[in-house]
Amino acid sequence: DAHALLYRNGFNITGTGSAFRAAASPGRANYSSASPPVTGSFLLNEVHINPPTATDNTEFIEVISTEAHALLTNLWIIVLDATTGASSGRVRKVIDLRGQATGSNRLAIFADGVEEDTSPLFPFISGRTVRDDAASFNANGTANTGGGFNFTPDSLQDDGVSVLLVSYTPPTATGLPATPDADLDANNDGVLDSAPPWTLVDGVSTGRGIGGAAALGASGFVPGSICRYAGNATASSADAWYGGELTGGSATSFGYSANFFGTFKGAASPGRHNVTTALSSTSSLLLNEVNINPPGGDNEKEFVELISTDGSAMSAIGHSILLIDNDGGDTGRVLKVFDLDSGATGTNGLLLAGVGYDSAVPWTGADAPNAATKFYAPDGMAFDDIGGSNDNGAITVLLVKNFTGRAGDDLDEGTQADWNLADDHILNTPLPWEELTDSVAMKSFMVTTVNNVTTYSLEGFVFPGTADLTVPIPAAPNQANGYTPDTLARFGGILTRNSAAAWYGANIQGTAATSTVYEPAQFFPSTLNGGKASPGQGNVLALTDFSDPDGDGVAHLIEEALGMNDFVADNQKLPQPGYETLNTVPQPVFKVVRPSLGVAGLTYTVQGSRNLAQWTLPTVINSTQANTPSAGLETITYAVDPEFLELLNSSKRAYFRLKITRP
C-alpha cells in the first residue's frame, strides 16, 4: 500500500538496545526506541453507505484516533451482512488497515480512489486528514487477489450491514481475520456461529447488530450515512451515533432528508470532524475577536473568536482558521491550520477557540465568558501559536470554508505568471478553499536604531482582499508612540466581511497574562466607544453620530464637530450665548468654539429665532478669533444680521442654535 507507514517487522537502530516496531515518518521527527510511533486508541467515526446516485462511488469509512498521527497497528475493518435473510453474517469486506495512520486532525478516511485529487470526495476533505484506498494485503506484503477486499462502488448492502473495527494479529504470513464471502451465521439467527478470532474495537450496524456491533435501529428507513457524535468515545454504542437518509442529486450530496435519527439533523462530513449541532443554511460565520499578544506569557491566553451572523447556535463544519505568513521573504506560507468542524457557536452566537478550551478557559470574574458561549480546542493548537507564529507583529488570520490545503503550503509563490520570480505579495490562484469567509491582517510597527539614529517603519505586507488593520505611524514628533495592536475585535452589530471599518483594537495594559484592559493612548479608531478584550462576551458597539459614550448629553457628531472628548463629560464646551455691544448697539451673540476651519466633511449652520418656533432669523459671523493657548481651536461669534435687529423686542432677546450635518 503506497500510503502504509508501519513496518511489518521490528527494526533495530544500532546502539539503542532492543528492536522496536518503527514506521515511516514523513515530515516529522524520526522515531527511536525511546520515542516510538504513537498508537493511541481508535473508533469508527463515520460510515457513508448509500450515496444518492446509482453509482455509489463516494462510499467511505472514516476512523478517528485519540492521538494525532497514530498508527493503526493490527487493525482491520470487517463488513458483515446484517440483514435478516439468508445472507446474514456473510463477510462482504475485509480491509487491512495495518500500517495506516491518522492525520494531524486524528482522522483517516478510506474509500475507492480517495488518495487521488481527482476523487469526487477530495474537495470536501480536510488537508490534515489521511486518505487512502486501503486494499487488502497479506501479512507478507503481497496483494490479495481473491476479490472483495477493496472498498469499491456498489459493494455494500444498503439495507443492513455491520461495520466492525477489529484488532487481529495473523498467526501466519497470509492469515486474515475473516475470509471474504464466508458465512459466519449459517443458521441466520443474527449471532456469529463461533467466537471470532479477532477482538472487537468498535462496531456499528444499520441492520441487526451481528458481530457485537451497535444496532442503530432507525425507524422506517435505512440511513445512507451514519456519524459518531463529536466527542463521544463510547465504543459499540447506538447512543454514540446520528445519521440519516441522504438526499440530493449527486454523489457528493451530503445533506439529510426528513428521514434522520439523533438529537439533531446533521449531515455527512467526509474527512472532517463531525458536527455537534444542527447545520444552518440561513446564517454564516465571521471572525469576531483575535487575541494576539497578551501581556506576559501568552500561552493559552491567545484566542480566536467567531460569531454567527444571526447570533444563533451554528455548526462550524467546513470552516478553518489559517495563519498566513505576511512578513519576510517567504510571504504567503500557511503557518497554521485549525479546523473547526466539530465546533459550534453558542446560543449567543459566539465560539471561543483556544488551547485547552474544551476543559477550561483562563478568564474568571467580570472577564469570564458568557455562559451561552461555546468553547473549542482545535486539534493541534499549541501555546503561542497565534501570535508566536507571526512574531506578535505582522499577522494575517483567515477564516475559510472547505480548505483542502495543508500547513506549509506557499500561497504566494513568485507571481501568478512566473512562480520563479520574487513573491509579489498577492495570493496565487486557484486558492485551496471554497470561500474566504473573513479576514484580519496588519503590518507591524518597528523601531530601528543605527548609529544613534532612530527610524520608525511598518514591516510586512497585507494581501489584497484582506481587512487591513495596520495602525499608521503617528506624524512627527510623535512617531515613537506607534504600536502594533495586541488584540482585535469586531464592532458589535457590524457584520461586513473582510472590512477594516468593522474592527477596533488596542494594546493591552498591565503585566497579567489575563489582562483585558486597553492602554489608554494606544487604541483605534480614535472614536472607539470604550472597549476591552472580551473573550466570549459581547463586543462594544461602533460609535455613531448619535452615540453618547460619556453620558454628558452631547451626541458624538456634535462632540466631533466642536473638538470635544467623547469619553469625558465636557458639555461646558457647548456653544454659549451672551451679550455684546456691536456698532454701539447691545445685542445677543452666540459663541461657537470648534477646531480651526471646522472638521472636514461637516457642515456648520447657525440659525436664529425670536420665539423658538420659526428658525428663520438671519445670523452673521461677527468675528473669528484663534484660541490661545488652545492651539488648533477657534472661536466664532455669531450675531443677528443688523438689518433684522429691529425685529427683536425691546430687550433685544434672540435664540440661537447650531446645526451640524454630515453628507
Side-chain angles (χ1 to χ4, degrees), residues 223-283:
S225 162
I226 54 176
C227 304
R228 175 178 292 278
Y229 286 113
N232 190 313
T234 306
S236 304
S237 167
D239 292 337
W241 293 81
Y242 64 91
E245 179 183 64
L246 292 163
T247 187
S250 72
T252 54
S253 296
F254 300 127
Y256 291 171
S257 73
N259 292 325
F260 66 92
F261 70 92
T263 58
F264 56 81
K265 183 177 179 179
S269 51
R272 293 190 174 274
H273 286 285
N274 301 338
V275 299
T276 57
T277 190
L279 284 77
S280 172
S281 60
T282 60
S283 184

Short mmCIF file of all heavy atoms in Angstrom, two decimals, residues 223-283:
data_model
loop_
_atom_site.label_atom_id
_atom_site.label_comp_id
_atom_site.label_asym_id
_atom_site.label_seq_id
_atom_site.Cartn_x
_atom_site.Cartn_y
_atom_site.Cartn_z
N PRO A 223 -30.56 4.30 6.94
CA PRO A 223 -29.74 5.50 6.72
C PRO A 223 -28.65 5.26 5.68
O PRO A 223 -28.05 4.19 5.62
CB PRO A 223 -29.15 5.78 8.11
CG PRO A 223 -29.21 4.48 8.82
CD PRO A 223 -30.42 3.78 8.31
N GLY A 224 -28.40 6.28 4.89
CA GLY A 224 -27.31 6.20 3.93
C GLY A 224 -26.01 6.74 4.49
O GLY A 224 -24.95 6.56 3.89
N SER A 225 -26.08 7.40 5.65
CA SER A 225 -24.90 7.98 6.28
C SER A 225 -25.08 7.90 7.79
O SER A 225 -26.17 8.21 8.30
CB SER A 225 -24.74 9.44 5.87
OG SER A 225 -23.89 10.15 6.75
N ILE A 226 -24.05 7.48 8.48
CA ILE A 226 -24.08 7.47 9.94
C ILE A 226 -22.79 8.09 10.46
O ILE A 226 -21.72 7.91 9.90
CB ILE A 226 -24.28 6.05 10.52
CG1 ILE A 226 -23.22 5.07 9.97
CG2 ILE A 226 -25.67 5.53 10.21
CD1 ILE A 226 -23.30 3.68 10.59
N CYS A 227 -22.91 8.86 11.53
CA CYS A 227 -21.78 9.63 12.06
C CYS A 227 -21.76 9.54 13.58
O CYS A 227 -22.81 9.58 14.23
CB CYS A 227 -21.91 11.11 11.68
SG CYS A 227 -22.05 11.44 9.93
N ARG A 228 -20.56 9.46 14.13
CA ARG A 228 -20.39 9.49 15.58
C ARG A 228 -20.50 10.92 16.07
O ARG A 228 -19.94 11.85 15.48
CB ARG A 228 -19.02 8.91 15.94
CG ARG A 228 -18.66 8.99 17.42
CD ARG A 228 -17.30 8.36 17.70
NE ARG A 228 -17.38 6.91 17.47
CZ ARG A 228 -17.83 6.03 18.35
NH1 ARG A 228 -18.24 6.45 19.55
NH2 ARG A 228 -17.86 4.75 18.08
N TYR A 229 -21.25 11.13 17.17
CA TYR A 229 -21.28 12.46 17.77
C TYR A 229 -19.86 12.90 18.13
O TYR A 229 -19.09 12.13 18.73
CB TYR A 229 -22.13 12.47 19.04
CG TYR A 229 -23.62 12.38 18.83
CD1 TYR A 229 -24.33 11.26 19.24
CD2 TYR A 229 -24.32 13.42 18.23
CE1 TYR A 229 -25.70 11.17 19.06
CE2 TYR A 229 -25.69 13.35 18.06
CZ TYR A 229 -26.38 12.22 18.47
OH TYR A 229 -27.73 12.15 18.28
N ALA A 230 -19.50 14.12 17.77
CA ALA A 230 -18.18 14.64 18.11
C ALA A 230 -17.98 14.59 19.63
O ALA A 230 -18.83 15.05 20.39
CB ALA A 230 -18.04 16.07 17.62
N GLY A 231 -16.88 14.00 20.05
CA GLY A 231 -16.56 13.92 21.47
C GLY A 231 -17.09 12.70 22.17
O GLY A 231 -16.71 12.44 23.32
N ASN A 232 -17.96 11.92 21.54
CA ASN A 232 -18.48 10.69 22.17
C ASN A 232 -17.51 9.55 21.86
O ASN A 232 -17.34 9.15 20.71
CB ASN A 232 -19.87 10.37 21.64
CG ASN A 232 -20.53 9.24 22.43
OD1 ASN A 232 -19.93 8.21 22.70
ND2 ASN A 232 -21.79 9.45 22.80
N ALA A 233 -16.87 9.02 22.89
CA ALA A 233 -15.84 8.00 22.71
C ALA A 233 -16.29 6.63 23.20
O ALA A 233 -15.46 5.76 23.49
CB ALA A 233 -14.56 8.41 23.45
N THR A 234 -17.59 6.40 23.29
CA THR A 234 -18.10 5.11 23.73
C THR A 234 -18.16 4.15 22.55
O THR A 234 -18.85 4.41 21.56
CB THR A 234 -19.50 5.25 24.34
OG1 THR A 234 -19.46 6.24 25.38
CG2 THR A 234 -19.96 3.92 24.92
N ALA A 235 -17.43 3.07 22.64
CA ALA A 235 -17.38 2.09 21.55
C ALA A 235 -18.65 1.26 21.52
O ALA A 235 -19.26 0.98 22.56
CB ALA A 235 -16.16 1.19 21.71
N SER A 236 -19.05 0.87 20.31
CA SER A 236 -20.17 -0.06 20.10
C SER A 236 -21.42 0.36 20.87
O SER A 236 -22.07 -0.45 21.52
CB SER A 236 -19.74 -1.48 20.48
OG SER A 236 -18.59 -1.87 19.75
N SER A 237 -21.75 1.64 20.77
CA SER A 237 -22.92 2.17 21.46
C SER A 237 -23.82 2.88 20.45
O SER A 237 -23.37 3.79 19.73
CB SER A 237 -22.51 3.15 22.55
OG SER A 237 -23.62 3.89 23.03
N ALA A 238 -25.08 2.49 20.41
CA ALA A 238 -26.02 3.14 19.50
C ALA A 238 -26.21 4.61 19.85
O ALA A 238 -26.47 5.44 18.97
CB ALA A 238 -27.36 2.41 19.53
N ASP A 239 -26.07 4.95 21.12
CA ASP A 239 -26.26 6.34 21.56
C ASP A 239 -25.15 7.26 21.08
O ASP A 239 -25.25 8.49 21.22
CB ASP A 239 -26.35 6.40 23.09
CG ASP A 239 -27.61 5.75 23.63
OD1 ASP A 239 -28.59 5.64 22.86
OD2 ASP A 239 -27.60 5.34 24.80
N ALA A 240 -24.08 6.69 20.54
CA ALA A 240 -22.96 7.49 20.08
C ALA A 240 -23.14 7.99 18.65
O ALA A 240 -22.29 8.73 18.15
CB ALA A 240 -21.66 6.69 20.18
N TRP A 241 -24.26 7.62 18.01
CA TRP A 241 -24.38 7.87 16.57
C TRP A 241 -25.63 8.68 16.21
O TRP A 241 -26.66 8.60 16.88
CB TRP A 241 -24.43 6.54 15.82
CG TRP A 241 -23.13 5.79 15.90
CD1 TRP A 241 -22.70 5.00 16.94
CD2 TRP A 241 -22.09 5.78 14.93
NE1 TRP A 241 -21.45 4.50 16.66
CE2 TRP A 241 -21.05 4.96 15.42
CE3 TRP A 241 -21.94 6.36 13.68
CZ2 TRP A 241 -19.88 4.71 14.72
CZ3 TRP A 241 -20.76 6.12 12.96
CH2 TRP A 241 -19.75 5.31 13.48
N TYR A 242 -25.49 9.45 15.13
CA TYR A 242 -26.63 10.07 14.46
C TYR A 242 -26.50 9.75 12.97
O TYR A 242 -25.44 9.31 12.51
CB TYR A 242 -26.68 11.58 14.68
CG TYR A 242 -25.52 12.37 14.11
CD1 TYR A 242 -25.55 12.88 12.81
CD2 TYR A 242 -24.38 12.62 14.88
CE1 TYR A 242 -24.50 13.60 12.30
CE2 TYR A 242 -23.31 13.34 14.37
CZ TYR A 242 -23.37 13.83 13.08
OH TYR A 242 -22.31 14.55 12.57
N GLY A 243 -27.55 9.95 12.21
CA GLY A 243 -27.47 9.64 10.79
C GLY A 243 -28.75 9.98 10.08
O GLY A 243 -29.70 10.50 10.66
N GLY A 244 -28.77 9.67 8.81
CA GLY A 244 -29.96 9.98 8.04
C GLY A 244 -29.91 9.45 6.64
O GLY A 244 -28.89 8.93 6.17
N GLU A 245 -31.03 9.60 5.97
CA GLU A 245 -31.15 9.24 4.56
C GLU A 245 -30.58 10.39 3.75
O GLU A 245 -30.96 11.55 3.94
CB GLU A 245 -32.62 9.02 4.24
CG GLU A 245 -32.92 8.66 2.81
CD GLU A 245 -34.41 8.53 2.59
OE1 GLU A 245 -35.12 9.56 2.74
OE2 GLU A 245 -34.87 7.42 2.28
N LEU A 246 -29.68 10.09 2.83
CA LEU A 246 -29.06 11.14 2.03
C LEU A 246 -30.00 11.59 0.92
O LEU A 246 -30.72 10.80 0.33
CB LEU A 246 -27.75 10.63 1.42
CG LEU A 246 -26.65 10.37 2.46
CD1 LEU A 246 -25.56 9.50 1.87
CD2 LEU A 246 -26.06 11.69 2.95
N THR A 247 -29.98 12.88 0.69
CA THR A 247 -30.85 13.44 -0.33
C THR A 247 -30.02 14.25 -1.31
O THR A 247 -28.86 14.54 -1.08
CB THR A 247 -31.93 14.33 0.31
OG1 THR A 247 -32.86 14.73 -0.69
CG2 THR A 247 -31.32 15.57 0.95
N GLY A 248 -30.60 14.64 -2.42
CA GLY A 248 -29.88 15.40 -3.43
C GLY A 248 -29.65 14.59 -4.68
O GLY A 248 -29.94 13.40 -4.74
N GLY A 249 -29.05 15.22 -5.67
CA GLY A 249 -28.94 14.57 -6.96
C GLY A 249 -27.55 14.17 -7.38
O GLY A 249 -27.34 13.80 -8.54
N SER A 250 -26.56 14.26 -6.47
CA SER A 250 -25.19 13.91 -6.87
C SER A 250 -24.55 13.02 -5.82
O SER A 250 -25.04 12.88 -4.70
CB SER A 250 -24.35 15.18 -7.04
OG SER A 250 -24.06 15.76 -5.78
N ALA A 251 -23.43 12.42 -6.23
CA ALA A 251 -22.71 11.54 -5.32
C ALA A 251 -22.12 12.29 -4.14
O ALA A 251 -21.76 11.68 -3.13
CB ALA A 251 -21.59 10.81 -6.08
N THR A 252 -22.01 13.61 -4.24
CA THR A 252 -21.49 14.41 -3.14
C THR A 252 -22.59 15.25 -2.49
O THR A 252 -22.33 16.33 -1.94
CB THR A 252 -20.35 15.32 -3.64
OG1 THR A 252 -20.80 16.08 -4.76
CG2 THR A 252 -19.14 14.49 -4.05
N SER A 253 -23.82 14.78 -2.56
CA SER A 253 -24.91 15.40 -1.80
C SER A 253 -24.88 14.79 -0.40
O SER A 253 -25.22 13.63 -0.21
CB SER A 253 -26.25 15.13 -2.47
OG SER A 253 -26.32 15.73 -3.74
N PHE A 254 -24.45 15.57 0.58
CA PHE A 254 -24.21 15.04 1.92
C PHE A 254 -25.31 15.41 2.92
O PHE A 254 -25.25 15.03 4.08
CB PHE A 254 -22.86 15.53 2.44
CG PHE A 254 -21.70 15.10 1.59
CD1 PHE A 254 -20.79 16.03 1.12
CD2 PHE A 254 -21.53 13.77 1.25
CE1 PHE A 254 -19.72 15.65 0.33
CE2 PHE A 254 -20.46 13.38 0.47
CZ PHE A 254 -19.55 14.31 0.00
N GLY A 255 -26.31 16.18 2.49
CA GLY A 255 -27.38 16.58 3.40
C GLY A 255 -28.36 15.46 3.65
O GLY A 255 -28.55 14.55 2.83
N TYR A 256 -29.02 15.51 4.80
CA TYR A 256 -30.02 14.52 5.17
C TYR A 256 -31.41 14.97 4.72
O TYR A 256 -31.71 16.17 4.69
CB TYR A 256 -30.05 14.30 6.68
CG TYR A 256 -28.83 13.61 7.24
CD1 TYR A 256 -28.64 13.52 8.62
CD2 TYR A 256 -27.85 13.07 6.42
CE1 TYR A 256 -27.53 12.89 9.16
CE2 TYR A 256 -26.73 12.44 6.95
CZ TYR A 256 -26.57 12.36 8.32
OH TYR A 256 -25.47 11.74 8.85
N SER A 257 -32.23 14.00 4.40
CA SER A 257 -33.63 14.27 4.10
C SER A 257 -34.41 14.41 5.41
O SER A 257 -33.82 14.50 6.49
CB SER A 257 -34.21 13.14 3.26
OG SER A 257 -34.40 11.99 4.06
N ALA A 258 -35.73 14.38 5.30
CA ALA A 258 -36.56 14.43 6.51
C ALA A 258 -36.45 13.16 7.33
O ALA A 258 -36.89 13.12 8.48
CB ALA A 258 -38.01 14.68 6.12
N ASN A 259 -35.85 12.13 6.75
CA ASN A 259 -35.63 10.88 7.48
C ASN A 259 -34.24 10.91 8.11
O ASN A 259 -33.23 10.75 7.43
CB ASN A 259 -35.75 9.68 6.54
CG ASN A 259 -37.15 9.48 6.02
OD1 ASN A 259 -38.11 9.71 6.74
ND2 ASN A 259 -37.28 9.05 4.77
N PHE A 260 -34.19 11.15 9.40
CA PHE A 260 -32.92 11.15 10.12
C PHE A 260 -33.17 10.72 11.55
O PHE A 260 -34.31 10.71 12.02
CB PHE A 260 -32.25 12.54 10.09
CG PHE A 260 -33.00 13.61 10.82
CD1 PHE A 260 -32.74 13.89 12.16
CD2 PHE A 260 -33.98 14.35 10.19
CE1 PHE A 260 -33.43 14.87 12.84
CE2 PHE A 260 -34.68 15.35 10.86
CZ PHE A 260 -34.40 15.61 12.19
N PHE A 261 -32.10 10.33 12.25
CA PHE A 261 -32.22 10.00 13.65
C PHE A 261 -31.11 10.69 14.42
O PHE A 261 -30.10 11.09 13.85
CB PHE A 261 -32.19 8.48 13.87
CG PHE A 261 -30.84 7.86 13.61
CD1 PHE A 261 -29.91 7.69 14.63
CD2 PHE A 261 -30.49 7.44 12.33
CE1 PHE A 261 -28.66 7.13 14.39
CE2 PHE A 261 -29.24 6.87 12.08
CZ PHE A 261 -28.33 6.71 13.11
N GLY A 262 -31.29 10.82 15.72
CA GLY A 262 -30.34 11.52 16.57
C GLY A 262 -30.97 12.76 17.16
O GLY A 262 -32.15 13.05 16.95
N THR A 263 -30.17 13.53 17.89
CA THR A 263 -30.71 14.69 18.59
C THR A 263 -30.83 15.92 17.71
O THR A 263 -31.38 16.92 18.13
CB THR A 263 -29.81 15.03 19.80
OG1 THR A 263 -28.48 15.27 19.33
CG2 THR A 263 -29.78 13.89 20.80
N PHE A 264 -30.30 15.86 16.49
CA PHE A 264 -30.45 16.97 15.55
C PHE A 264 -30.26 16.43 14.14
O PHE A 264 -29.80 15.30 13.95
CB PHE A 264 -29.44 18.09 15.82
CG PHE A 264 -28.00 17.65 15.80
CD1 PHE A 264 -27.31 17.48 14.62
CD2 PHE A 264 -27.34 17.39 16.99
CE1 PHE A 264 -25.98 17.06 14.61
CE2 PHE A 264 -26.01 16.97 17.00
CZ PHE A 264 -25.34 16.80 15.79
N LYS A 265 -30.63 17.22 13.16
CA LYS A 265 -30.46 16.84 11.77
C LYS A 265 -29.06 17.24 11.33
O LYS A 265 -28.75 18.41 11.18
CB LYS A 265 -31.50 17.54 10.89
CG LYS A 265 -31.45 17.14 9.42
CD LYS A 265 -32.56 17.83 8.64
CE LYS A 265 -32.52 17.46 7.17
NZ LYS A 265 -33.61 18.11 6.40
N GLY A 266 -28.21 16.24 11.16
CA GLY A 266 -26.83 16.50 10.81
C GLY A 266 -26.59 16.41 9.31
O GLY A 266 -27.46 16.71 8.50
N ALA A 267 -25.42 15.95 8.95
CA ALA A 267 -25.05 15.77 7.54
C ALA A 267 -23.77 14.96 7.51
O ALA A 267 -23.03 14.90 8.50
CB ALA A 267 -24.84 17.12 6.85
N ALA A 268 -23.52 14.33 6.38
CA ALA A 268 -22.25 13.63 6.20
C ALA A 268 -21.12 14.65 6.15
O ALA A 268 -21.30 15.78 5.69
CB ALA A 268 -22.28 12.80 4.93
N SER A 269 -19.94 14.26 6.62
CA SER A 269 -18.81 15.19 6.67
C SER A 269 -17.52 14.45 6.38
O SER A 269 -16.70 14.23 7.27
CB SER A 269 -18.74 15.86 8.05
OG SER A 269 -18.78 14.90 9.09
N PRO A 270 -17.30 14.03 5.12
CA PRO A 270 -16.12 13.22 4.79
C PRO A 270 -14.81 13.93 5.10
O PRO A 270 -14.59 15.06 4.69
CB PRO A 270 -16.28 12.99 3.28
CG PRO A 270 -17.18 14.08 2.81
CD PRO A 270 -18.11 14.33 3.94
N GLY A 271 -13.95 13.24 5.86
CA GLY A 271 -12.63 13.77 6.14
C GLY A 271 -12.60 14.96 7.06
O GLY A 271 -11.58 15.65 7.16
N ARG A 272 -13.71 15.19 7.77
CA ARG A 272 -13.77 16.28 8.74
C ARG A 272 -14.42 15.78 10.02
O ARG A 272 -15.19 14.83 10.00
CB ARG A 272 -14.55 17.47 8.18
CG ARG A 272 -13.85 18.15 7.02
CD ARG A 272 -14.51 19.45 6.65
NE ARG A 272 -13.75 20.16 5.63
CZ ARG A 272 -12.73 20.99 5.88
NH1 ARG A 272 -12.36 21.20 7.13
NH2 ARG A 272 -12.08 21.58 4.92
N HIS A 273 -14.11 16.43 11.13
CA HIS A 273 -14.76 16.07 12.37
C HIS A 273 -16.26 16.29 12.25
O HIS A 273 -16.72 17.23 11.59
CB HIS A 273 -14.19 16.89 13.53
CG HIS A 273 -12.83 16.47 13.95
ND1 HIS A 273 -12.60 15.33 14.69
CD2 HIS A 273 -11.61 17.02 13.73
CE1 HIS A 273 -11.30 15.21 14.92
NE2 HIS A 273 -10.68 16.21 14.34
N ASN A 274 -17.01 15.45 12.90
CA ASN A 274 -18.47 15.52 12.78
C ASN A 274 -19.02 16.69 13.57
O ASN A 274 -18.35 17.27 14.43
CB ASN A 274 -19.08 14.19 13.25
CG ASN A 274 -18.58 13.02 12.44
OD1 ASN A 274 -18.13 13.20 11.31
ND2 ASN A 274 -18.65 11.83 13.00
N VAL A 275 -20.27 17.01 13.28
CA VAL A 275 -20.87 18.22 13.85
C VAL A 275 -21.41 17.93 15.26
O VAL A 275 -21.63 16.79 15.65
CB VAL A 275 -21.99 18.76 12.95
CG1 VAL A 275 -21.43 19.14 11.60
CG2 VAL A 275 -23.12 17.75 12.80
N THR A 276 -21.61 19.03 16.00
CA THR A 276 -22.13 18.91 17.37
C THR A 276 -23.49 19.59 17.51
O THR A 276 -24.08 19.56 18.58
CB THR A 276 -21.16 19.55 18.37
OG1 THR A 276 -20.96 20.92 17.99
CG2 THR A 276 -19.84 18.84 18.38
N THR A 277 -23.95 20.21 16.46
CA THR A 277 -25.26 20.85 16.49
C THR A 277 -25.79 20.91 15.08
O THR A 277 -25.06 20.66 14.12
CB THR A 277 -25.17 22.28 17.09
OG1 THR A 277 -26.47 22.78 17.33
CG2 THR A 277 -24.43 23.21 16.16
N ALA A 278 -27.05 21.22 14.93
CA ALA A 278 -27.66 21.27 13.61
C ALA A 278 -26.99 22.31 12.72
O ALA A 278 -26.54 23.35 13.19
CB ALA A 278 -29.15 21.57 13.74
N LEU A 279 -26.93 22.01 11.44
CA LEU A 279 -26.35 22.94 10.49
C LEU A 279 -27.35 24.04 10.18
O LEU A 279 -28.55 23.89 10.37
CB LEU A 279 -25.95 22.22 9.20
CG LEU A 279 -24.67 21.37 9.28
CD1 LEU A 279 -24.92 20.06 9.99
CD2 LEU A 279 -24.12 21.11 7.90
N SER A 280 -26.82 25.16 9.68
CA SER A 280 -27.68 26.30 9.34
C SER A 280 -27.47 26.67 7.88
O SER A 280 -26.34 26.72 7.40
CB SER A 280 -27.36 27.50 10.23
OG SER A 280 -28.06 28.65 9.78
N SER A 281 -28.56 26.93 7.18
CA SER A 281 -28.47 27.38 5.79
C SER A 281 -28.80 28.87 5.68
O SER A 281 -28.78 29.43 4.59
CB SER A 281 -29.43 26.58 4.92
OG SER A 281 -30.76 26.73 5.37
N THR A 282 -29.11 29.49 6.80
CA THR A 282 -29.55 30.89 6.78
C THR A 282 -28.55 31.83 7.44
O THR A 282 -28.70 33.04 7.37
CB THR A 282 -30.90 31.04 7.49
OG1 THR A 282 -30.77 30.61 8.85
CG2 THR A 282 -31.97 30.21 6.80
N SER A 283 -27.53 31.29 8.08
CA SER A 283 -26.56 32.12 8.78
C SER A 283 -25.17 31.81 8.27
O SER A 283 -24.95 30.85 7.53
CB SER A 283 -26.63 31.87 10.29
OG SER A 283 -25.77 32.74 10.99
#
